[in-house]
Amino acid sequence: MILPMNVSQENFNKALKEFQKAIGKEWVFNKQEDLDLYRDAYSPQWDDSDEPIPSLALAPKNTEEVQKIVKIANVYKIPLFPISTGKNLGYGSSAPQRRGDVVVDLKRMNKIIEVDDKRNFCIVEPGVSYFDLYEYVENNNLNVFLDIPDPGWGSPVGNALDHGWGYSYGMYRDHFGSHCGMEVVLANGEILRTGMGALPGAKTFAENKYGYGPYVDGLFAQSNFGIVTKMGFWMMPKPEYYLLLSLTMKTREDLIPAVSILNYLEDSFIIGWPLYRSPLNPPHGKPMNKELEGYLTSKGGKPDLNKIQNYALKNDIPYWQIDIPIYGCKDTCYANMNYIKERFKVISGAKITKVQEFALPLTLEQKSQLKHKVSLGIPNMEIFWLSTRGDVLEPSDGHVWFSPIIPRDGKELLKCQDVYIDVFHSLGMKSPITPFAHPRSWMYRAFCFMLAFNNSRTDKEHNAKLREAYRTMVKVAAQNGWGDYRAAPTFQDDVMGAYSYNNHILRRFSEQLKDCIDPNGILAPGRGGIWPKNAREGRFANAKKDGFKKGQK
């Protein structure tokens, strides 16, 4: 039986009985078949002695039951780990931060409290999924949508708290930035409401995020300072018209001026989310051309840029393709399309074509025809299927995302490609990055240049190499001024350790707050690299186990 760290069997049994009394025996899960559902399916520590598996899972139905759980946990010093829908695959899924921590599963708290399509906001509980909210909006014929990530089974609350992103206009793609107001159960069991919510009877909970006094909402994102039980979000009004363009360019260096032009267009709200990619990458489930694949290692084990470029030109394959959405009325969309075409005339050989266009509201048939459903707030599982357990050439047991933020600059992106390729070459590993690897453009005003490390449920040596490579990438990225924005529990200490300005003042400040807010250290110890005073010796435990000590402090 797994026990929480530093908790005796006797105290655990007492707490178990009190949890059952507080929320109902049927909502306290301690059987192995239930706890297995809270394992990280993609864990890079699978079946290791320290794999983060919970000792218990609790499923409260409302804020009052969350309060009861927290108060019991304080008595017995039981560490808790809250999750929303638990779909954070690639970043830890529904597993706790440490082995033995008790999962507080908030999926039963699934009320849609309010949606207003005149003032364009919603207020939801953490168990509400993007599918739930979309269905509610459509069934009630409301003229708004919430920006969504992939996949649609995730939680707006959970995704925002982990700094997730989406696919429409920049101001809505930043899910934490577009939240407004929250309700939080603190470590002592008290309820805090932020912003205007601190005013009893406030009518603008989800409209003005600042209220009066300090703006404290940010303390509850990627941290362990409270359990969020309600959040408001700004929603985007549904446009009258949607137009999707495709930009293709011939050379690798064309990306440099293209990014500058797209930055201007996006920051001027002329376009929405630009999707960068390269036609040199084969479609999912298809092998890369053998000639092109050979050029990826033909220069001393590294790519030959000239041969790759010549291959693209010889075969008339665009080096880059960028999808560009436009929203508005039909006349505005067409005017913006013509303006975009004028702007890209400075890039020789650049072509812009119209992919599809629709007047809204969409019919069911039109929704099925949309190339990027997420751009209009329609949740689905298509991209999730393609990038995880779907039609892939080399099935793995999942993956861990490495997700550093880099400048929204074409030159920096090309440099980042080269640096990543060099790192994998030095490690003697096949690089998952190519000279035509594309940036993820979800982040507003920055790029995320992410990659997936495939893991295994049977090959522990492979997982050890994965962990070494990940930690090396964290260090090398930091040396270049790039920082991981999100990480699985295994690597959160490493990532926080890279944010080391002024002798790690961010971490030291956060842990001072932790000691004041949560003196018993019961809320997600170690989440985000923030440890309570009674557990700080555990910092870098995963890295030390692997013998990886470089750059630690």
Side-chain angles (χ1 to χ4, degrees), residues 130 134 145-148 168 372-379:
Y130 289 100
Y134 176 77
F145 70 84
L146 189 69
D147 187 283
I148 63 174
S168 62
H372 303 306
K373 296 181 179 66
V374 286
S375 289
L376 284 171
I378 302 174

Side-chain angles (χ1 to χ4, degrees), residues 9-218:
Q9 182 73 62
E10 180 183 5
N11 280 344
F12 183 75
N13 290 340
K14 289 179 181 178
L16 175 62
K17 290 179 181 178
E18 292 195 31
F19 287 140
Q20 291 173 337
K21 183 179 178 181
I23 68 172
K25 191 173 182 179
E26 68 272 32
W27 303 112
V28 177
F29 305 112
N30 61 346
K31 294 180 180 179
Q32 191 60 51
E33 60 263 34
D34 293 325
L35 295 177
D36 282 345
L37 298 176
Y38 293 95
R39 294 179 74 175
D40 177 7
Y42 296 176
S43 175
Q45 297 172 257
W46 188 266
D47 269 348
D48 287 357
S49 60
D50 58 351
E51 180 193 346
I53 302 173
S55 58
L56 198 65
L58 312 172
K61 66 179 179 182
N62 54 38
T63 300
E64 291 72 26
E65 288 192 352
V66 174
Q67 289 180 280
K68 292 177 183 178
I69 288 170
V70 167
K71 289 175 181 178
I72 295 167
N74 270 298
V75 173
Y76 298 102
K77 309 298 188 292
I78 302 286
L80 305 174
F81 188 85
I83 63 171
S84 296
T85 59
K87 305 302 185 185
N88 201 14
L89 292 169
Y91 294 113
S93 189
S94 56
Q97 186 72 22
R98 299 182 308 182
R99 189 176 185 87
D101 290 359
V102 172
V103 168
V104 181
D105 185 344
L106 303 175
K107 283 197 288 289
R108 291 178 68 209
M109 297 179 61
N110 58 1
K111 292 180 182 174
I112 297 170
I113 297 164
E114 185 176 4
V115 180
D116 190 310
D117 68 347
K118 306 298 185 295
R119 290 142 66 195
N120 306 320
F121 68 82
C122 66
I123 303 173
V124 297
E125 291 185 331
V128 174
S129 72
Y130 289 100
F131 283 125
D132 295 334
L133 185 60
Y134 176 77
E135 183 178 15
Y136 180 92
V137 167
E138 293 299 295
N139 289 344
N140 289 279
N141 197 30
L142 300 173
N143 195 39
V144 286
F145 70 84
L146 189 69
D147 187 283
I148 63 174
D150 287 304
W153 61 5
S155 158
V157 173
N159 186 266
L161 292 177
D162 214 6
H163 295 166
W165 301 82
Y167 296 98
S168 62
Y169 278 130
M171 66 179 293
Y172 298 106
R173 291 207 308 271
D174 178 355
H175 292 169
F176 190 79
S178 63
H179 101 275
C180 184
M182 57 174 67
E183 177 184 272
V184 187
V185 175
L186 300 175
N188 64 0
E190 284 195 282
I191 299 175
L192 168 72
R193 286 187 175 174
T194 68
M196 295 303 299
L199 176 73
K203 296 181 178 179
T204 52
F205 179 101
E207 293 174 274
N208 184 297
K209 63 172 61 183
Y210 299 119
Y212 184 78
Y215 178 67
V216 300
D217 294 48

Side-chain angles (χ1 to χ4, degrees), residues 108-367:
R108 291 178 68 209
M109 297 179 61
N110 58 1
K111 292 180 182 174
I112 297 170
I113 297 164
E114 185 176 4
V115 180
D116 190 310
D117 68 347
K118 306 298 185 295
R119 290 142 66 195
N120 306 320
F121 68 82
C122 66
I123 303 173
V124 297
E125 291 185 331
V128 174
S129 72
Y130 289 100
F131 283 125
D132 295 334
L133 185 60
Y134 176 77
E135 183 178 15
Y136 180 92
V137 167
E138 293 299 295
N139 289 344
N140 289 279
N141 197 30
L142 300 173
N143 195 39
V144 286
F145 70 84
L146 189 69
D147 187 283
I148 63 174
D150 287 304
W153 61 5
S155 158
V157 173
N159 186 266
L161 292 177
D162 214 6
H163 295 166
W165 301 82
Y167 296 98
S168 62
Y169 278 130
M171 66 179 293
Y172 298 106
R173 291 207 308 271
D174 178 355
H175 292 169
F176 190 79
S178 63
H179 101 275
C180 184
M182 57 174 67
E183 177 184 272
V184 187
V185 175
L186 300 175
N188 64 0
E190 284 195 282
I191 299 175
L192 168 72
R193 286 187 175 174
T194 68
M196 295 303 299
L199 176 73
K203 296 181 178 179
T204 52
F205 179 101
E207 293 174 274
N208 184 297
K209 63 172 61 183
Y210 299 119
Y212 184 78
Y215 178 67
V216 300
D217 294 48
L219 292 175
F220 302 104
Q222 289 193 345
S223 74
N224 45 27
F225 296 153
I227 299 177
V228 178
T229 52
K230 292 182 182 68
M231 278 182 85
F233 294 93
W234 293 335
M235 301 182 78
M236 180 172 164
K238 289 180 181 176
E240 292 181 20
Y241 208 80
Y242 171 79
L243 177 61
L244 181 65
L245 308 178
S246 178
L247 163 69
T248 57
M249 298 175 293
K250 292 184 175 182
T251 74
R252 184 174 185 243
E253 287 70 26
D254 285 340
L255 190 71
I256 297 171
V259 169
S260 295
I261 296 170
L262 288 166
N263 288 351
Y264 176 85
L265 296 172
E266 188 180 4
D267 293 349
S268 302
F269 293 95
I270 293 171
I271 66 171
W273 164 64
L275 169 60
Y276 292 77
R277 63 185 186 277
S278 172
L280 293 172
N281 281 316
H284 283 281
K286 303 295 183 182
M288 183 176 289
N289 177 277
K290 291 296 182 183
E291 179 185 352
L292 176 60
E293 187 176 24
Y295 295 151
L296 295 178
T297 54
S298 62
K299 196 170 183 179
K302 293 195 283 187
D304 190 316
L305 298 180
N306 289 329
K307 289 181 179 178
I308 292 170
Q309 181 65 77
N310 289 336
Y311 170 87
L313 294 171
K314 177 181 69 176
N315 291 281
D316 196 27
I317 300 173
Y319 206 102
W320 302 108
Q321 179 178 346
I322 303 170
D323 286 0
I324 305 171
I326 309 173
Y327 305 97
C329 69
K330 184 173 182 178
D331 289 345
T332 299
C333 287
Y334 269 78
N336 283 337
M337 176 180 67
N338 293 330
Y339 176 68
I340 292 166
K341 288 180 178 180
E342 285 296 317
R343 291 299 301 262
F344 276 100
K345 284 182 178 179
V346 300
I347 299 177
S348 177
K351 294 181 180 178
I352 292 179
T353 56
K354 186 168 58 176
V355 178
Q356 57 183 189
E357 59 186 312
F358 296 102
L360 276 70
L362 301 175
T363 65
L364 285 175
E365 182 180 358
Q366 288 174 326
K367 289 177 184 178

